[in-house]
Amino acid sequence: MTNPPPSSAHCLAVILAAGEGTRMKSARPKVLHEVAGRSMLAHVLAGVAQAGAGRLAVVVGPDRADVSAEVRRLAPDAQVFEQRERLGTAHAALCARPALAQGCDELLVVFADTPLIRPDTYAALRAALREGASVAVLGFEARDPTGYGRLLREGAELVAIREHKDASAAERAVTLCNAGVMAIAGAQALALLERVGNDNAQKEFYLTDVVALARAAGDKAVVVLAPEDEVMGVNDRVQLASAEAAMQTRLREAAMRAGVTMIAPQTVFLSWDTQLARDVLIEPHVFFGPGVSVGEGAVIHASSHLAQASVGPGATIGPFARLRPGARIGASAKIGNFVEIKAADIGEGAAVSHLTYLGDATVGARANIGAGTITCNYDGFDKFRTHIGAGAFIGSNSALVAPVTIGDGAYVGSGSVVTQSVAPDSLAIARGRQVEKPGWAQDFRRSHEGKPRQRP
Ligand code: UD1
Ligand code: CA
């Protein structure tokens, strides 16, 4: 990370999450919509914490128990404040007044709907304060600046931020825009915020007015630049999809730079926490939900879906495999096509090659599970476990009715419905015995000779 902040600098981050998000057309608050498998709010909380913010204060809208609950889950030490009326970004920041009044060396004010900002970028804003600025604003060159606050500069210094609705024609021609994130020297922060008025086109208390107020007090304000893709805000589902695409590009590139091969990276979808070791090969059209790790040299064949699962080194998965929560695939194991694994440990070198469901199970090392094997783990009320020993061989099309244990090295004959445990090294056959009647078919046909055949 660039410019790691000195641990002595005490940084408070105030996260504005009171957005109504009406343009999302959703029962869910905007900031709880997900990018790469976690909420936008979670991305922002993690980002500022990684940038060294030791205290977090989140400002939520009225009656947003769901947002408060997400904050408590993610950052139990964060303080949560409610903004009852939406009177502007400075007003929102001041809703965290009790946190501000406790004092800090540096204040970061950030929006919860900009999930792509990197920890390094937050850290760069903090660093600008340490270089003498009282206010540091994150800016970007906008392809289309409409709607954004314009950053008005004189030389290297920032003079003011003009909201689009308040800007003159000349000011609207400026393409350097405010991303919304700001760092303010802790000593001045509360006093500056309190001086913000609402004499503007929207009759709102603008956080952005802090710049002109700091300048008027003889303090310095500066701009820290970021690429437009990074500061992208999310107001509707189209922008949510754009943010997702940008995040996916970032995650894929990081994986490839760390030694992962992707044949068609644009068809592979990762989660924020996907862990892929060196020399993992990922074929096209693979989806990683949250909580997946894949060990060195493993291969994930095309069109597989994994979530909350781990894959050991050298294992192969798919094509068309599904690893559900709690699937733990051992080193060099093979999970083949049309196989679903849930809450099951598959031992080292075991093979589950085709058309199988294993749920609530343990499979020992080097066991072989034949095509069409099903663990019957659910009776409509409770779940039960199946244990398959090391080196066991389950014949094709077997149903293992849990709870049941197949001993080490045991065989189960194909087509068995196994309801009782099988001792190690035994053979269990649990199906009708084959009966053969020699010549029966010929006799049957003869007895029907000359009779008209009904069409099937
Ligand atoms: C804001 C900035 C603008 C910048 C743009 C970047 C101000 C005054 N303007 O404008 O300079 O270019 O972001 O996207 O800051 N919020 C509250 N309570 C409020 C008002 C807003 O919590 O009373 C939150 C919103 O949920 C949102 C954020 O603050 O997360 C920004 O508010 P929004 O109204 O979207 O500001 P913009 O007009 O986009
Ligand atoms: Ca906005």
Side-chain angles (χ1 to χ4, degrees), residues 309-325:
S310 67
V311 176
T316 62
I317 309 296
F320 300 99
R322 173 139 189 234
L323 300 186
R324 291 173 52 204

Side-chain angles (χ1 to χ4, degrees), residues 23 30 86 111 113 148 233-235:
R23 282 161 62 194
K30 175 167 78 173
R86 213 183 135 87
F111 298 164
D113 64 356
Y148 289 112
V234 172
N235 297 309

Side-chain angles (χ1 to χ4, degrees), residues 115-136:
L116 298 167
I117 296 177
R118 297 171 191 270
D120 281 6
T121 304
Y122 293 122
L125 286 166
R126 297 189 58 194
L129 298 185
R130 261 166 277 130
E131 283 154 18
S134 287
V135 180

Side-chain angles (χ1 to χ4, degrees), residues 340-403:
E340 174 180 343
I341 310 276
K342 186 218 72 170
D345 282 292
I346 310 300
E348 188 172 340
V352 189
S353 298
H354 342 257
L355 300 157
T356 289
Y357 170 64
L358 298 179
D360 303 304
T362 55
V363 173
R366 290 171 306 285
N368 186 89
I369 311 297
T373 299
I374 304 288
T375 53
C376 308
N377 57 332
Y378 184 50
D379 65 4
F381 296 93
D382 295 306
K383 300 273 173 73
F384 302 94
R385 294 196 66 84
T386 298
H387 297 280
I388 299 172
F393 185 100
I394 310 299
S396 296
N397 197 31
S398 292
L400 308 176
V401 183

Side-chain angles (χ1 to χ4, degrees), residues 39-304:
S39 68
M40 293 195 272
L41 178 60
H43 282 283
V44 174
L45 285 172
V48 293
Q50 261 175 274
R55 262 166 70 217
L56 305 175
V58 185
V59 179
V60 305
D63 306 318
R64 290 285 32 156
D66 40 10
V67 179
S68 309
E70 172 81 337
V71 175
R72 274 196 304 279
R73 188 178 73 79
L74 295 162
D77 295 333
Q79 291 170 282
V80 178
F81 301 96
E82 192 178 277
Q83 186 191 27
R84 292 210 177 78
E85 274 181 290
R86 213 183 135 87
L87 299 178
T89 44
H91 176 263
L94 274 174
C95 290
R97 185 191 295 272
L100 294 164
Q102 283 172 36
C104 59
D105 297 326
E106 296 165 6
L107 170 67
L108 271 176
V109 183
V110 305
F111 298 164
D113 64 356
T114 51
L116 298 167
I117 296 177
R118 297 171 191 270
D120 281 6
T121 304
Y122 293 122
L125 286 166
R126 297 189 58 194
L129 298 185
R130 261 166 277 130
E131 283 154 18
S134 287
V135 180
V137 172
L138 191 62
F140 67 102
E141 280 294 339
R143 282 180 286 266
D144 174 12
T146 311
Y148 289 112
R150 306 300 206 281
L151 300 184
L152 309 180
R153 285 195 292 189
E154 270 170 21
E157 287 195 29
L158 180 63
V159 184
I161 306 179
R162 191 80 70 237
E163 287 308 299
H164 183 86
K165 287 186 178 147
D166 300 292
S168 66
E171 288 167 343
R172 283 185 184 185
V174 173
T175 52
L176 182 65
C177 291
N178 174 26
V181 180
M182 198 179 280
I184 309 174
Q188 284 102 308
L190 186 53
L192 283 172
L193 287 168
E194 279 175 333
R195 263 189 272 152
V196 172
N198 67 346
D199 182 17
N200 53 53
Q202 304 185 81
K203 295 283 169 274
E204 278 188 14
F205 295 88
Y206 289 160
L207 175 64
T208 45
D209 282 356
V210 160
V211 169
L213 290 167
R215 290 275 302 184
D219 289 327
K220 193 168 117 180
V222 295
V223 180
V224 169
L225 283 172
E228 184 165 13
D229 303 352
E230 189 182 337
V231 303
M232 181 193 302
V234 172
N235 297 309
D236 60 29
R237 310 245 189 176
V238 176
Q239 290 173 334
L240 183 68
S242 302
E244 179 74 45
M247 187 67 88
Q248 288 299 334
T249 301
R250 190 186 287 183
L251 292 168
R252 290 169 192 141
E253 286 182 6
M256 290 186 282
R257 289 190 206 292
V260 172
T261 296
M262 295 185 187
I263 294 171
Q266 65 282 6
T267 68
V268 173
F269 293 86
L270 302 167
S271 281
W272 65 279
D273 62 347
T274 304
Q275 287 176 33
L276 305 174
R278 268 161 49 124
D279 289 321
V280 165
L281 167 64
I282 301 175
E283 290 186 355
H285 301 289
V286 173
F287 185 92
F288 292 92
V292 175
S293 67
V294 180
E296 197 168 323
V299 178
I300 315 293
H301 290 290
S303 301
S304 294

